[in-house]
Structures are given as C-alpha cells and as structure tokens.
Amino acid sequence: MKIVPSIMESVVAELEGTLVKDPDPFTYFMLIAFEASGLIRFTLLLLFWPIIRFLDLVGMEDVGFKLTTFIAVAGVRISDIESVARAVLPKFYMDDIDIDAWRVFSQYDKKVVVTKTPRVMVERFVKEHLKADEVIGSELVVNRFGYAMGFIRDVGSDSGRVAKLFGDEEPSLGLGRSSSNDSNTFMSLCKEQCHAPFKQTNKLLNGHNDVSRPLPVIFHDGRLVKRPTPFIALLILLWIPIGVVLAIIRMSIGLVLPFWLVPYATAAFGGGVIVKGKPPASSGGVLFVCTHRTLMDPVILSYVLGRRIPAVTYSISRVSEILSPIPTIRLTRDRHVDGERIRNELGKGDLVVCPEGTTCREPFLLRFSALFAELTDTIVPVAMNYRVGFFHATTARGWKGLDPFFFFMNPRPIYEVTFLNQLPAEATCSAGKSPHDVANYVQRILAATLGFECTNFTRKDKYRLLAGNDGTVSNNAKNSWLIGCVKKMISTCKPFIH
C-alpha cells in the first residue's frame, strides 16, 4: 500500500490504542476522579478496578466502561470536568502520544478522531494539540443543574456518526487497532485502512513525514505527577499517610532550625539540594534573578546561602506568607510603586526576584519582566529546578497555600540551584542596554543553563488557559480566548539557546 495524501484528503483515527498508545482510558477517568472530585472518589474507582478488569476479560467491555464512567463522574459538575480536561488531561495524553501515528494523521487535510471516552474529556486535547477538525465520542448525560449523572447518552454507533459526518464522501484513510470485526466499525467506511505499528506507514509517505511535532503542552495543572495506573494509584494512596507526616516534619525543620543547619537536617528525611556554581560573596545589594519553578525557589536559595534573603512576590496566599521562613515583599503591579519598594529593599541588602511572575512546570521560561533591570546593575542569575515523584508543588486552580505541603509530601524532593556569574557591566543598563534587552539576555542564559526554551508567555496567559482568570481575579474568561492563546503558543515558542 502506498499512502500519498493529496489535497483535501481525509483521515479518521481511533484515539485509544492508536493516536495514544494506551488502549484503556481508565487512567484518565482516575485523573477526573482525583482532580474534579477528590481522594474519596479516586479511592472508590481504584477499588472497583478489579471488577472492571474482570468485565473486560469476560467480553463485557461496554458494561465495564459504563461502570467506570458512572463512578468517575456521577454528581460532578460538568464545568469541573471541562476544567480538568482543559488544564490536566492534555499533559498526560501528550506523554502517551504515538508519534508515528501522529505523523500519518497530520498529513491529511480533514482530520477526525473517534473515541469511546466522553467527548468533553478529549476534545480540547485533540483539537488544540493534534489539530483535529472533529471529535466523535460518547456523550455524558447532564442534568439541568449542570451535574453529570454518570450515564452515557445514546447517540448512535461510531460508524453511523462517521457516515453522517462525511455524507456521500468516503474518508481516505482509517487508522485504528487491528480487529476481527473491522467490517462493523468506522474502518469499513474508509477507502484504505491502516493498523499499528505505523513506522512502516511513515516510510510510505514518500518524504511527506517531515512534519512538526504536536503542539507542546507548556501549561498544565493538577497535583499528580505520574499517570495513575492502578499500580501507581495504589502506591500514591499507600504513600499519602507517610507523606503527610514527612511534610510536617520537613516543614517544621525549615521553620525551627538555623538556616545553615536546614540542608543537613532535610537530607536526613529524604530531601536534597544540589548546588552548582559559586555563590557570590555577601556584599549587600545583590539582586538574585531566579527562574520560577515552585513557591520554594527563594526559600531554597536562602537555605543554600545560609541567610534569610527577602523575596519579591507577585501573588501568593496569606497562609504561605505567614508560614514563610523568609521575609516577603508583596508587589502591587503598579510599576512605579513596585520599583520604589525594590529599590528600598536593595538599599537594605540582598533581594530575590523571579521575573517570570509565576511558575512553569515544563522546560520553558516565560517572558521576564524588565523591571528588575531598571533598578540595579548588581544582578546574579540563578537557575532553579526541581524533581518530585508523586505530587506537583504548584497549582493554578487549587489552593496555593498547600503548594509547599505537597512539595514536601514527595518521597524524595530534590532541588537544583545553579549560580551563574554576576552580569558584566557591559551587559547592564549602565552600559546603555535597554531594560528589555537585559531581561531577555538573562532569560536566554538561564534557559541555556537549564536546557529550556524561551517563550513570550506571561502570567496572564497561564492563568487564563488553566483557570479561566488572569491570576488575580476569579471571573471566568471567555472560551474564545483559548484559541488565541494556542495561536500565540505556536508563534512565540523559540528553540532553546545553545
């Protein structure tokens, strides 16, 4: 078979087991249960997994899928499911993408995805990241109050819906799992059929497979680091009681012990800090410009330097301010007022600032505010990064006051702190450089140090995409903005600097 897509040819592809490798959507329902409802529903769904698995083995997959759906979403607001589908699921789908299947899929002009998963869970991902035109999936029953009932609405067979979508036209290619009953699926409607593995199919594209990768997931939310397969979910549930105790101990160490002793005590309880580069001598008035990975960045920097260095904050919870072991200076987002505050603090001693204004989990740096470059020439860039096993230490949709707690709940939280040389005088504003040039230069060298990519995204971009607000208010943003954000994502991502 020689596949050479031409103008306006179409493809219909199965999601489970084809575009994404895992044929079982159970783990994504586990994510919905955890992020949209909580630990109780997450645990309940895991307890039912042996029954669901048994139903699959005896040929009652449809019953097992309906049971999974009911437990995961019954009584959950549809808006909460949509929020998780927008902010959490794309990252896990992207991690499971079959790049060979994507390369075949992306060659066609009209792209349709067929999935047994509720459409609301996958539509955002397949349309924005896989660039699909249509999604044919199951539909949840929602009551008039906006709550999912846990049932699947009868909307007809997949093959019937595909036939209705294309009318008299035949889809050019069908991508799906190999099955003995292809004649009863949407695959029978396609002119050509292709099954995994897709490496050989890529060779048949006659050089047309030199395409970009799917749109990367730069922003994502949710507390779980790993996709909760039944085994991983069980480990998480068993670890939580231990993690809570460890988090209390670790946080107490940071609040009670002298700063110089904290790294040693933390190491005894599983934590770790890796320091690279040479910290500058304490001369006063040094502005440490850090990448922003978690709320702990300035705290860890203070531990490494052995002294309490005040940190500039943009918007953290009052709980975090109260529990912070270092002084915090809250900015107002009024450029003149904030500039005066930073100047006053630098007159008293060293200061820490994270010019991205918010955290980013992925290997990307957001746009740096140029304010810091206007206020001093004594700038020391610091590349911060961290590794965790079970729980993310940041959130856009949840309660930020728990961020440090989730960080310390991990079995072995590791921080990496890399000190770069102080900016030379010729790279600062005193040499005639503009503040934006200085900020962009610092962003580039920090990105190069970490192997990250620079972007032009801002705090507002992140919060509008993940939480539907600008990070300071809770009013809902219009859905149409998301399309603009995705377009901006395409235009602003730049290759990382070497």
Side-chain angles (χ1 to χ4, degrees):
M1 179 177 66
K2 204 164 190 176
I3 301 173
V4 185
S6 59
I7 297 176
M8 291 310 296
E9 288 205 337
S10 54
V11 61
V12 182
E14 190 175 9
L15 181 67
E16 296 86 7
T18 302
L19 291 176
V20 296
K21 298 172 187 175
D22 194 344
D24 187 358
F26 179 81
T27 55
Y28 301 101
F29 283 100
M30 289 289 286
L31 286 165
I32 291 288
F34 185 88
E35 301 292 350
S37 183
L39 195 59
I40 294 176
R41 191 185 296 265
F42 181 79
T43 305
L44 183 63
L45 185 54
L46 180 62
L47 290 175
F48 271 85
W49 177 77
I51 299 174
I52 294 166
R53 182 60 178 157
F54 173 77
L55 292 172
D56 290 345
L57 292 175
V58 298
M60 301 176 67
E61 296 93 341
D62 188 53
V63 176
F65 178 74
K66 289 180 179 179
L67 179 60
T68 301
T69 304
F70 182 83
I71 297 171
V73 306
V76 179
R77 283 185 180 275
I78 192 67
S79 59
D80 291 335
I81 297 173
E82 290 171 347
S83 177
V84 175
R86 178 182 68 240
V88 179
L89 298 187
K91 164 64 177 174
F92 293 96
Y93 277 123
M94 185 62 73
D95 288 345
D96 195 37
I97 199 78
D98 186 326
I99 195 64
D100 292 314
W102 151 253
R103 284 174 177 157
V104 177
F105 180 77
S106 65
Q107 298 300 309
Y108 290 78
D109 296 285
K110 184 175 182 179
K111 297 180 278 289
V112 178
V113 171
V114 175
T115 174
K116 64 179 180 180
T117 304
R119 177 184 53 80
V120 68
M121 289 173 56
V122 305
E123 188 170 34
R124 183 78 62 184
F125 170 72
V126 298
K127 284 191 174 182
E128 294 185 356
H129 295 276
L130 302 187
K131 303 174 185 176
D133 299 297
E134 298 290 341
V135 181
I136 295 176
S138 56
E139 300 289 342
L140 296 175
V141 176
V142 181
N143 66 20
R144 62 192 181 95
F145 301 106
Y147 289 89
M149 302 298 290
F151 303 115
I152 300 294
R153 184 154 50 92
D154 185 10
V155 289
S157 66
D158 292 342
S159 58
R161 294 168 71 189
V162 171
K164 183 178 179 180
L165 177 65
F166 281 88
D168 296 332
E169 178 189 352
E170 280 187 310
S172 305
L173 178 66
L175 299 178
R177 287 172 285 174
S178 180
S179 173
S180 58
N181 62 344
D182 275 355
S183 59
N184 298 322
T185 70
F186 71 88
M187 297 285 282
S188 63
L189 304 174
C190 304
K191 295 176 183 176
E192 295 181 275
Q193 300 177 5
C194 186
H195 304 293
F198 298 99
K199 284 187 178 293
Q200 185 62 30
T201 306
N202 275 307
K203 293 178 182 178
L204 297 173
L205 288 170
N206 287 350
H208 291 269
N209 63 337
D210 185 19
V211 296
S212 60
R213 295 181 65 87
L215 190 69
V217 176
I218 295 179
F219 300 126
H220 61 94
D221 204 26
R223 290 295 187 184
L224 298 183
V225 173
K226 300 179 184 296
R227 188 157 61 98
T229 62
F231 177 69
I232 294 296
L234 180 61
L235 285 182
I236 290 171
L237 290 174
L238 293 175
W239 175 258
I240 284 176
I242 302 171
V244 169
V245 174
L246 268 179
I248 293 172
I249 294 173
R250 289 164 172 169
M251 292 181 72
S252 299
I253 288 173
L255 294 171
V256 175
L257 294 183
F259 261 46
W260 64 269
L261 189 56
V262 169
Y264 302 102
T266 303
F269 289 94
V273 179
I274 300 170
V275 181
K276 301 176 183 179
K278 184 179 180 181
S282 178
S283 56
V286 175
L287 183 62
F288 293 95
V289 178
C290 301
T291 55
H292 203 6
R293 305 304 284 171
T294 78
L295 194 65
M296 298 296 297
D297 295 335
V299 177
I300 298 297
L301 180 63
S302 292
Y303 288 148
V304 169
L305 295 174
R307 61 186 188 276
R308 299 176 193 272
I309 303 177
V312 171
T313 64
Y314 288 86
S315 179
I316 64 172
S317 69
R318 292 296 180 185
V319 173
S320 298
E321 285 186 330
I322 293 170
L323 295 177
S324 175
I326 62 174
T328 58
I329 297 94
R330 183 182 285 264
L331 298 185
T332 64
R333 299 192 182 277
D334 181 303
R335 195 173 186 83
H336 176 72
V337 173
D338 293 343
E340 287 301 315
R341 286 188 180 181
I342 294 176
R343 280 195 186 92
N344 291 337
E345 290 298 326
L346 285 171
K348 300 174 185 177
D350 299 339
L351 189 64
V352 182
V353 64
C354 300
E356 291 172 276
T358 189
T359 58
C360 183
R361 296 174 177 177
E362 293 301 296
F364 298 92
L365 293 187
L366 308 187
R367 189 176 73 198
F368 276 29
S369 167
L371 179 61
F372 74 90
E374 302 174 12
L375 305 177
T376 181
D377 294 331
T378 312
I379 298 171
V380 175
V382 184
M384 310 289 291
N385 205 2
Y386 78 110
R387 300 195 301 271
V388 290
F390 282 157
F391 307 106
H392 284 297
T394 60
T395 183
R397 299 161 46 255
W399 187 28
K400 294 179 180 298
L402 290 177
D403 285 356
F405 198 82
F406 273 101
F407 175 77
F408 287 115
M409 275 182 64
N410 284 284
R412 184 164 171 74
I414 300 292
Y415 241 98
E416 296 180 2
V417 183
T418 304
F419 291 94
L420 278 64
N421 295 328
Q422 180 178 321
L423 287 192
E426 58 269 20
T428 64
C429 290
S430 62
K433 299 285 186 181
S434 73
H436 291 287
D437 288 340
V438 175
N440 290 340
Y441 172 71
V442 174
Q443 183 197 34
R444 289 196 300 271
I445 61 175
L446 286 172
T449 300
L450 294 170
F452 287 5
E453 296 183 26
C454 297
T455 77
N456 282 325
F457 285 110
T458 66
R459 172 190 176 85
K460 287 186 177 181
D461 293 326
K462 170 186 169 180
Y463 278 89
R464 285 174 178 167
L465 182 64
L466 298 182
N469 59 63
D470 65 6
T472 56
V473 294
S474 59
N475 56 298
N476 290 330
K478 294 182 179 179
N479 289 337
S480 59
W481 182 92
L482 295 170
I483 305 300
C485 188
V486 172
K487 290 180 179 178
K488 184 176 179 181
M489 188 180 297
I490 298 173
S491 63
T492 59
C493 288
K494 296 176 280 187
F496 48 78
I497 310 301
H498 293 285

